[in-house]
Amino acid sequence: MKGLTLNCMDRKSEAYELVRRGLKNDLKSHVCWHVYGLLYRSDREYREAIKCYRNALKIDPDNIEILRDLSLLQAQMRDLTGFIETRQQLLTLKPNHRMNWIGFAVSHHLSSKLNETLIFCFHYELNHQNILSYLIFLFLLCMSVSVSKAIEILEAYEGTLEDDYPPDNERYEHGEMLLYKISLLEERGLLEKALEEMEKKEAKIVDKLAYKEQMASILVKLGFLEEGEKIYRSLLFMNSDNYRYFIGLQKCLGLYSENGQYTSDEIERLDALYKSLKEQYSWSSAVKDTKGASFNSYVDSAFGFPAVIRPLYLVQHYDRWGQHDIALAKMDEAIEHTPTAIDLYSVKGRILKHAGDLAAAASLADEARSMDLADRYLNSECVMRMLQADQVGLAERTAVLFTKDGDQHNNLHDMQCMWYELASGESYFRQGDLGGALKKFLAVEKHYADMTEDQFDFHSYCLRKMTLRAYVSMLKFQDKLHSHEYFHKAAAGAIRCYMKLHDSPIKATTEEGDEMSKLPPSQRKKLRQKQKKAEARAKKEAEEKTEEASSGTSKPGKRQHTRPVDLDPHGEKLLQAVKQLLKLDENNHDCHRCLIRFLHKVSSFPAPVTDSEILIRSVLEAELPKISQSHGKSLVEVNQSFLEKHKDSLMHRAAAAEMLLVLEPEKKLEAIKLIEDSTNKLAPVNGVLGPVREWKLEDCIAVHKLLETVFIDEDAASRWKARCMDYFPYSTYFGGCRSSAVAFSVNHNVQIAPENGVLAYQEAKSEEPHSLNGKLHAFKNLTI
């Protein structure tokens, strides 16, 4: 028990030692095993905690508290089979407890979600004629009754209640249970029974809004469209900004299409419907988002701004198709007409960003921000533009304007501001600061780990408060948590950092720096000892601060969490990891590079000598035909086939040229010619917009870097830069004639000095430095 107390004081090493001593004194004490599991659970070591709980249950199999804790961990780890068993045991031991009935029903419902994954596996294996498919099919036959079993459990629980149940203080919880049961009936396809249950139990359901939504959904599925229409119109009267209600109304009227395709008659009917709805709900923004209505009427209703704002969509359409000249000309007309319209500066900055002038885009975003300093969105957009222009220091100072007092980095981290961390990580990566980039990317990964951890308390809370529909929805969200776009970007960014470190490892670690390597061994040893003492001192100070905060300023019974001292502020220690994975795709140009490099490397291995080398070679020889898909061709022939298949794509030609250099270095000039012979064709678009070319700015930049760093040919890189200068006149990277860098140098006799990504310049007539941001006069010559 002393160990459990010390664990709450963040003295974890002492806590574990004391609990282990307790187990050593009495290995058959279920209390010691339970406390040991609690320690592991507090450290998120859930699998170890489950082992401890199971050891405790071997000694005391009917301990309600241990069984409850075990069930929570099984739900957290999605051990659904074990979750069902534990909840059933709890129900057997204490059948008069409502939470045990509900927990047992929910466990069966959750196991049905596992069936969906198994069904996918079944179809996959069946297509591949694998015997495993038949085993899965048999398993599904046994498990397909999970939802039905959950319904039976809830009905059995209702059978134990009195007719006058529930009392006034439990009406809401009971109503939630009834709605959950009805949702299970709907999920199972028992729509008539669900409708009957709703009509029978209407008086006992407190949440009338949820009742109406559920009723409308069931009526539409049963084909009772007139009744469903009445309910959806009543729901719109309650909330005319809910898009789901408009979609439901369209379904009732036969005017909804999943693919968004409508006939001319349907469009006319939709127009009439939404005109009447707009008259009834003129304040609603959702009603303006019509499905199938005429474009002109939609634009008229959607833009409630001055007349100059109406052409904004056409301007952004030109921008989308790469017609930056026309888009900027239109924007300049709009700004001249209404210079106080903030959106105009934001949109013009966005256009310049797409055109490649990131510094000008950041300045325009800052100008828009300065016109309304209380607008958080404008501040965030400005920060994003600054980070895209590698103005990290300025971006941090701008972002902190909307954070709490204190350390701006930690505030942004505590707020889980992932878009900022991702943009910062990308900026650090572009500038070659891999330590800083890894710190930002892995901070995003930490947020997702925290989200996974945050669900733990809800396993008990939701069963107690009967918020069952929200609970199941939350678990579905958690199961797909790592499919979120931000996590993918962070993972890809970290992998790129590790791959770059693998290809170009750092020459010296923190401990073996240049200065230390010059020292004699005795002094080097003393310096290492000093570094270890400094780290230990910093750790001790952090623990003391934590204890002071817990004992001095926190409220009685409350534990105050403090942020530990960051012993690796610049991410040097993160640079030592170099593991990465790559999924191959034969039609992707980057994967083609990796595939050819891998096969070329394997072919250059010396003859195996040791048993392990022989084993590895045998595995490679067996698997390479499946991986390479070369069908007996040489790597040169595979590369040539790839080029012929994708000869019209710039990036595929560049990949093939790079691999030709790898396979046959003497053909360097031929490889460069493959790139230079690429044609920037006109894209097949509507002729009204004018000519639009296929090449993208980011692809052309990548090719230029390839010629500089891989081919190491300055002449070829210069020729490519001059060629792209004409294609992208606003690009500061290529020095386009209309970019901000050229405008500064011509009009201000600029001295450009990179300072953390920020361009500093001085005018010839004045020695006073000016900040780019907020000074739009510097960009007046960017117009057409």
Side-chain angles (χ1 to χ4, degrees):
M1 298 308 298
K2 182 178 179 181
L4 190 61
T5 304
L6 289 175
N7 182 65
C8 295
M9 297 170 62
D10 281 337
R11 294 165 62 179
K12 294 185 177 296
S13 58
E14 299 175 63
Y16 276 98
E17 178 61 28
L18 285 168
V19 174
R20 292 189 184 106
R21 283 174 57 188
L23 280 172
K24 186 177 181 181
N25 290 329
D26 188 358
L27 194 61
K28 294 185 178 181
S29 169
H30 70 276
V31 175
C32 290
W33 281 112
H34 191 189
V35 173
Y36 202 14
L38 292 176
L39 260 62
Y40 276 123
R41 190 185 76 178
S42 68
D43 289 338
R44 305 185 184 182
E45 297 286 346
Y46 296 136
R47 297 191 186 281
E48 294 299 322
I50 289 175
K51 293 178 183 178
C52 294
Y53 290 157
R54 290 194 180 279
N55 286 333
L57 289 172
K58 289 177 183 177
I59 302 166
D60 187 3
D62 295 336
N63 190 300
I64 297 292
E65 187 176 357
I66 299 175
L67 285 169
R68 187 188 67 244
D69 287 349
L70 175 61
S71 70
L72 300 180
L73 288 182
Q74 288 170 330
Q76 178 78 6
M77 300 301 294
R78 302 300 191 270
D79 178 12
L80 300 180
T81 303
F83 187 40
I84 292 175
E85 294 174 356
T86 305
R87 296 309 311 189
Q88 184 175 14
Q89 190 174 355
L90 282 167
L91 179 60
T92 304
L93 291 171
K94 207 168 184 180
N96 61 340
H97 199 294
R98 179 185 65 186
M99 187 174 171
N100 291 339
W101 285 95
I102 303 303
F104 189 37
V106 170
S107 67
H108 277 282
H109 184 205
L110 293 179
S111 69
S112 70
K113 300 304 173 185
L114 176 64
N115 293 346
E116 298 175 5
T117 305
L118 293 174
I119 289 172
F120 170 79
C121 298
F122 163 68
H123 286 300
Y124 175 82
E125 296 293 347
L126 186 63
N127 291 335
H128 289 74
Q129 298 181 354
N130 194 304
I131 190 62
L132 180 61
S133 61
Y134 300 103
L135 297 177
I136 294 175
F137 178 69
L138 293 175
F139 182 71
L140 287 176
L141 288 178
C142 298
M143 295 289 291
S144 62
V145 296
S146 296
V147 177
S148 299
K149 184 68 174 178
I151 296 171
E152 292 175 9
I153 295 168
L154 292 175
E155 289 178 343
Y157 167 67
E158 285 186 272
T160 65
L161 304 176
E162 302 292 337
D163 293 337
D164 60 347
Y165 188 86
D168 290 341
N169 62 339
E170 296 183 16
R171 289 185 66 239
Y172 182 81
E173 288 81 358
H174 185 70
E176 283 295 302
M177 188 273 290
L178 293 175
L179 285 172
Y180 176 62
K181 175 187 171 184
I182 292 167
S183 69
L184 291 179
L185 290 169
E186 184 180 2
E187 182 179 333
R188 186 72 176 82
L190 304 173
L191 300 177
E192 293 84 358
K193 187 175 180 180
L195 182 60
E196 179 185 351
E197 192 75 11
M198 290 204 76
E199 293 173 346
K200 182 179 177 181
K201 302 292 177 61
E202 180 180 1
K204 293 188 176 183
I205 296 176
V206 178
D207 190 345
K208 298 303 180 184
L209 177 62
Y211 176 85
K212 284 189 173 184
E213 291 176 341
Q214 194 92 42
M215 176 66 82
S217 174
I218 294 173
L219 287 172
V220 171
K221 290 179 180 179
L222 285 172
F224 301 144
L225 301 182
E226 292 184 5
E227 293 85 346
E229 180 187 351
K230 293 178 182 178
I231 296 179
Y232 275 120
R233 287 190 181 274
S234 68
L235 288 171
L236 281 172
F237 182 78
M238 298 169 65
N239 182 3
S240 60
D241 283 318
N242 192 316
Y243 287 91
R244 292 187 294 111
Y245 298 163
F246 288 102
I247 294 174
L249 180 60
Q250 286 182 221
K251 288 181 178 179
C252 293
L253 297 173
L255 293 174
Y256 181 74
S257 173
E258 293 288 347
N259 58 11
Q261 301 295 322
Y262 297 91
T263 64
S264 57
D265 178 62
E266 290 172 337
I267 291 176
E268 290 180 4
R269 292 172 60 195
L270 277 173
D271 246 342
L273 170 65
Y274 277 95
K275 283 179 181 178
S276 64
L277 291 173
K278 288 170 190 174
E279 293 175 359
Q280 189 175 1
Y281 308 110
S282 58
W283 62 87
S284 171
S285 59
V287 74
K288 298 175 183 177
D289 189 12
T290 60
K291 301 293 182 182
S294 63
F295 177 75
N296 290 334
S297 62
Y298 171 69
V299 172
D300 287 336
S301 63
F303 289 98
F305 300 103
V308 70
I309 307 294
R310 182 176 175 181
L312 266 179
Y313 170 80
L314 295 174
V315 168
Q316 293 179 85
H317 195 68
Y318 283 116
D319 173 41
R320 191 69 176 265
W321 284 104
Q323 299 284 43
H324 301 126
D325 290 348
I326 301 176
L328 288 171
K330 297 287 186 183
M331 288 307 306
D332 290 334
E333 291 178 15
I335 291 174
E336 184 178 358
H337 182 280
T338 311
T340 57
I342 300 176
D343 286 345
L344 300 179
Y345 299 97
S346 296
V347 173
K348 183 175 181 180
R350 209 170 299 136
I351 296 170
L352 286 169
K353 177 247 181 181
H354 297 156
D357 199 336
L358 301 178
S363 180
L364 282 158
D366 192 44
E367 187 71 16
R369 180 193 66 83
S370 64
M371 295 171 73
D372 187 354
L373 297 175
D375 193 317
R376 184 189 293 269
Y377 173 78
L378 292 176
N379 181 275
S380 299
E381 185 178 40
C382 178
V383 170
M384 176 62 79
R385 294 287 175 263
M386 290 173 177
L387 290 173
Q388 290 167 347
D390 293 338
Q391 302 173 4
V392 179
L394 189 56
E396 290 175 351
R397 293 192 293 274
T398 305
V400 78
L401 296 175
F402 276 86
T403 63
K404 297 178 181 178
D405 295 335
D407 189 344
Q408 56 195 31
H409 299 284
N410 287 327
N411 277 324
L412 290 168
H413 178 78
D414 292 341
M415 291 190 296
Q416 296 186 342
C417 192
M418 288 184 277
W419 66 265
Y420 172 81
E421 290 170 328
L422 287 171
S424 297
E426 294 292 348
S427 180
Y428 281 126
F429 182 81
R430 287 191 296 269
Q431 297 178 64
D433 185 355
L434 299 183
L438 279 171
K439 288 281 289 186
K440 295 299 183 182
F441 291 137
L442 295 184
V444 175
E445 191 275 336
K446 176 65 166 52
H447 295 323
Y448 280 87
D450 290 340
M451 293 178 198
T452 302
E453 168 65 17
D454 287 343
Q455 68 175 303
F456 181 82
D457 293 332
F458 290 95
H459 299 308
S460 174
Y461 175 85
C462 291
L463 294 180
R464 186 171 69 253
K465 293 295 185 180
M466 299 290 285
T467 55
L468 306 176
R469 292 173 299 134
Y471 175 57
V472 173
S473 177
M474 184 269 292
L475 294 180
K476 291 179 182 178
F477 166 76
Q478 289 283 352
D479 289 340
K480 299 179 180 179
L481 181 64
H482 289 86
S483 65
H484 195 273
E485 180 185 6
Y486 280 177
F487 181 82
H488 285 186
K489 288 182 177 180
I495 289 172
R496 278 188 281 115
C497 291
Y498 290 137
M499 291 177 67
K500 193 166 186 178
L501 287 168
H502 180 270
D503 295 337
S504 304
I506 53 177
K507 296 181 180 179
T509 63
T510 305
E511 294 183 351
E512 296 292 337
D514 294 336
E515 296 182 0
M516 184 181 289
S517 61
K518 298 176 182 179
L519 298 175
S522 59
Q523 295 184 13
R524 195 183 308 165
K525 184 177 180 180
K526 291 181 181 179
L527 185 57
R528 287 200 189 102
Q529 290 176 348
K530 288 183 179 179
Q531 290 175 344
K532 289 180 180 179
K533 289 180 180 179
E535 290 182 2
R537 192 182 307 112
K539 185 177 181 181
K540 185 177 180 181
E541 290 176 357
E543 292 178 352
E544 289 176 354
K545 289 180 181 179
T546 302
E547 292 178 10
E548 290 175 2
S550 300
S551 59
T553 58
S554 60
K555 296 181 180 180
K558 295 289 184 179
R559 176 179 161 198
Q560 183 175 352
H561 295 276
T562 58
R563 186 181 297 109
V565 175
D566 191 351
L567 301 179
D568 183 27
H570 301 294
E572 287 92 350
K573 293 182 180 179
L574 294 173
L575 301 181
Q576 309 309 316
V578 292
K579 298 286 185 179
Q580 70 275 346
L581 296 173
L582 178 67
K583 183 179 180 181
L584 297 179
D585 178 5
E586 61 177 342
N587 291 318
N588 183 277
H589 53 85
D590 283 325
C591 291
H592 175 71
R593 284 189 178 96
C594 297
L595 177 63
I596 297 297
R597 286 185 184 277
F598 172 72
L599 297 176
H600 180 62
K601 186 72 173 179
V602 170
S603 64
S604 63
F605 283 168
V609 178
T610 64
D611 292 340
S612 60
E613 291 176 349
I614 294 174
L615 177 61
I616 293 172
R617 176 58 65 90
S618 64
V619 172
L620 287 173
E621 289 177 351
E623 295 297 327
L624 280 180
K626 303 176 185 178
I627 297 175
S628 66
Q629 301 178 354
S630 59
H631 306 293
K633 297 180 181 178
S634 66
L635 293 182
V636 175
E637 292 173 330
V638 171
N639 191 49
Q640 183 62 31
S641 299
F642 179 82
L643 174 62
E644 293 174 358
K645 186 177 180 180
H646 305 284
K647 60 183 178 180
D648 294 330
S649 168
L650 171 63
M651 296 307 292
H652 287 80
R653 291 180 71 94
E658 184 181 352
M659 292 304 99
L660 178 61
L661 180 67
V662 171
L663 298 173
E664 299 178 284
E666 69 278 2
K667 294 186 177 181
K668 175 180 176 179
L669 295 179
E670 182 180 338
I672 293 176
K673 192 173 185 299
L674 282 178
I675 297 175
E676 295 185 330
D677 286 347
S678 303
T679 305
N680 192 4
K681 298 180 180 179
L682 294 176
V685 297
N686 192 334
V688 176
L689 294 175
V692 178
R693 296 194 177 273
E694 291 181 339
W695 288 1
K696 305 298 182 185
L697 174 61
E698 57 270 20
D699 293 340
C700 292
I701 291 175
V703 171
H704 181 261
K705 291 180 179 179
L706 179 70
L707 293 170
E708 270 191 329
T709 60
V710 177
F711 286 88
I712 315 178
D713 192 313
E714 291 296 331
D715 292 336
S718 298
R719 292 195 300 270
W720 184 260
K721 186 173 184 178
R723 184 179 181 183
C724 293
M725 191 184 301
D726 295 332
Y727 293 137
F728 307 102
Y730 295 95
S731 170
T732 52
Y733 182 89
F734 291 117
C737 60
R738 291 173 181 162
S739 67
S740 59
V742 174
F744 292 148
S745 60
V746 170
N747 297 286
H748 299 281
N749 189 19
V750 181
Q751 294 177 343
I752 299 177
E755 184 178 339
N756 196 19
V758 183
L759 293 175
Y761 71 95
Q762 291 184 338
E763 296 187 10
K765 298 181 181 180
S766 173
E767 296 298 328
E768 180 182 1
H770 299 279
S771 169
L772 280 182
N773 301 85
K775 304 297 183 182
L776 280 180
H777 68 273
F779 297 96
K780 62 184 179 181
N781 294 312
L782 290 179
T783 56
I784 304 304

